[in-house]
Every structure is written in C-alpha cells, then in structure tokens.
Amino acid sequence: MVEKSHELTVWEHLNELRKRLLYALISVVLGVVVSVVFADSLLVLIARPIGGLDNLLSIQVTENLSVYFRITLLSGFIIALPFILIQLLLFVSPGLKKTERVWILRAVPIATILFLAGAIFAYLVMLPAALPFLVDFPGPEVLPKWKDYVNFVTSLIFWIGLSFETPLLMFVLAKLGIIDAKGLVKQWRIAFILIAVIAAVATPTPDPINMAILMAPLFLLYLLGILLAALAQRKK
C-alpha cells in the first residue's frame, strides 16, 4: 500500500505544515490564557530564587507588562507542549509505518516529562547556585532589574529544558538508523567536549563549579541516550 506522503505534492505538504503550525500556535495562545489566571503566583514563583519581588527594580514604564507577557508565554508553551508534539507527530505520521507511529506517540509524554525535569533542574539547582555568585560578586551593590532578571531566568529554564530532550532525540535518531549506540560509545570524548561547550554557553556564570553542575546531568543524559539508542536498535 502506498503511503499518503508519496501522494502529496510539495504545496500540499506546505499546507499541511501551515495547518499544524497554526494549531500549535493556537494551543500556545490557549496555554497563555490559562497562565493568565495564575499570573500573580507565577510572578512570585519566578522572583523567589532572588529573594522575592522586593529585591527587584522595575524602571521602565512598560517593564512590568513585558515581564508579565514573557512569563505567561513560557508557562503557556509548557502547558501546550504535549499538543505541540502531537501536531509534529501528525505532520510526519503519513510517511511513517504503523509501528513507527506508535512509538513516536509514546514519546510525546516522555518528551514532556523530560522538558519539565530540565525546567525544574534549572529552577531548583542552577538558579540557587548561580544567583549568589552573580549578586555577591565583588563590586558595587547589585540591584537587579525586573525585566533583565526575568529574561535571564526564563531563558535558562527554557534552554535547560530543551537540553534534557537529548536522550529522546538520540532514541529517535537511532530508531531511524541515523546513529547507532556503538558509534556513540566510541565518540564519548567528543560528546564530553561538546557538553562542556554547551555548559559554558548555557551556564549563567563563568565559574567552573556552576559549569560542572550543568555538565554532570548533561553527560548522564548522554549515557542514558546511548542506552535508549541500543534499545531502539534492538527493537528495530
């Protein structure tokens, strides 16, 4: 039986992509609407690692509004993440076999859990370790701006959350035959260097302690990815 993806023209593929992106965008908007209900609690939660809202300054007239939107946008994205992943699945599913669709569908909740784990790690581990270093660094007293602080926190949470998707990505690539577990084991030194570079870029402070705090879970995730890649090849 010919797969549906072989029957679609380029324009039909583009229309399908546009439809899935539109649905994903709508899900984010709905997630933002839900987040608005809990916006006050989210503001307090974001400010907690720095000691509360009293330790932050809002200078610009539009600063509170832009911060409000950024926080609810991140929250809305997290709420909508499972639906976004389902839209991605629906876009690629016509070109997949039935068994491949099943394991990708199972990957949706796992991807959501991994992102949440990364976000929680950034909030509970990375921020408490980084903020004292930044605030108490020798020099004039630091009076963090509300907008700068929120940009810093939300960016850290978002990118660390994405980095925790590494094992699942490795599983998918191994399932598709793009990578294999043996090759990943042989290239662990290169992976370690890449993880160090990622940690150096993502870590909000230049000290090696905070860099190591991020490198350790990333390398463990790489090892977990090797295990998942081996399982993917075995099932294949």
Side-chain angles (χ1 to χ4, degrees):
M1 181 178 179
V2 179
E3 297 287 348
K4 181 182 177 181
S5 60
H6 297 163
E7 302 173 358
L8 296 177
T9 66
V10 174
W11 289 111
E12 288 172 331
H13 276 297
L14 292 176
N15 287 332
E16 181 69 12
L17 177 61
R18 179 184 59 81
K19 182 174 70 173
R20 298 305 168 193
L21 290 175
L22 177 61
Y23 289 162
L25 179 60
I26 292 174
S27 69
V28 173
V29 172
L30 294 176
V32 171
V33 172
V34 174
S35 300
V36 169
V37 179
F38 308 99
D40 292 340
S41 299
L42 292 174
L43 295 177
V44 174
L45 187 65
I46 287 292
R48 186 174 297 170
I50 199 73
L53 293 171
D54 294 337
N55 293 331
L56 295 163
L57 296 176
S58 182
I59 300 175
Q60 299 176 352
V61 176
T62 60
E63 192 164 345
N64 286 352
L65 179 62
S66 63
V67 166
Y68 186 91
F69 178 75
R70 187 178 180 91
I71 292 176
T72 54
L73 180 61
L74 176 61
S75 176
F77 171 80
I78 294 175
I79 293 174
L81 183 58
F83 189 78
I84 295 173
L85 295 173
I86 290 174
Q87 293 306 307
L88 176 62
L89 168 63
L90 291 175
F91 176 70
V92 301
S93 61
L96 300 176
K97 298 178 181 178
K98 184 177 180 180
T99 55
E100 293 173 330
R101 296 171 188 167
V102 171
W103 60 258
I104 287 185
L105 182 61
R106 293 175 179 173
V108 171
I110 298 175
T112 304
I113 293 173
L114 287 173
F115 184 90
L116 291 175
I120 293 172
F121 175 81
Y123 182 81
L124 295 180
V125 179
M126 291 297 298
L127 285 176
L131 288 175
F133 178 88
L134 295 172
V135 174
D136 299 331
F137 198 82
E141 181 182 0
V142 176
L143 299 174
K145 285 181 57 182
W146 183 215
K147 182 178 180 180
D148 293 343
Y149 170 77
V150 169
N151 289 347
F152 164 73
V153 171
T154 53
S155 296
L156 183 68
I157 290 175
F158 178 78
W159 290 113
I160 298 300
L162 283 185
S163 69
F164 270 58
E165 302 286 355
T166 303
L168 185 61
L169 178 61
M170 293 168 67
F171 174 84
V172 172
L173 293 178
K175 197 73 175 178
L176 297 176
I178 299 175
I179 61 176
D180 64 273
K182 292 182 179 179
L184 294 172
V185 172
K186 293 179 180 179
Q187 301 299 328
W188 73 268
R189 294 177 181 86
I190 297 177
F192 186 83
I193 295 174
L194 291 176
I195 289 172
V197 173
I198 294 172
V201 174
T203 302
T205 64
D207 66 293
I209 296 178
N210 281 292
M211 183 176 171
I213 291 175
L214 179 57
M215 283 185 64
L218 290 182
F219 192 70
L220 290 176
L221 288 171
Y222 179 77
L223 297 179
L224 176 60
I226 293 177
L227 176 61
L228 292 177
L231 292 175
Q233 290 175 302
R234 183 177 180 181
K235 290 181 179 181
K236 184 177 179 182

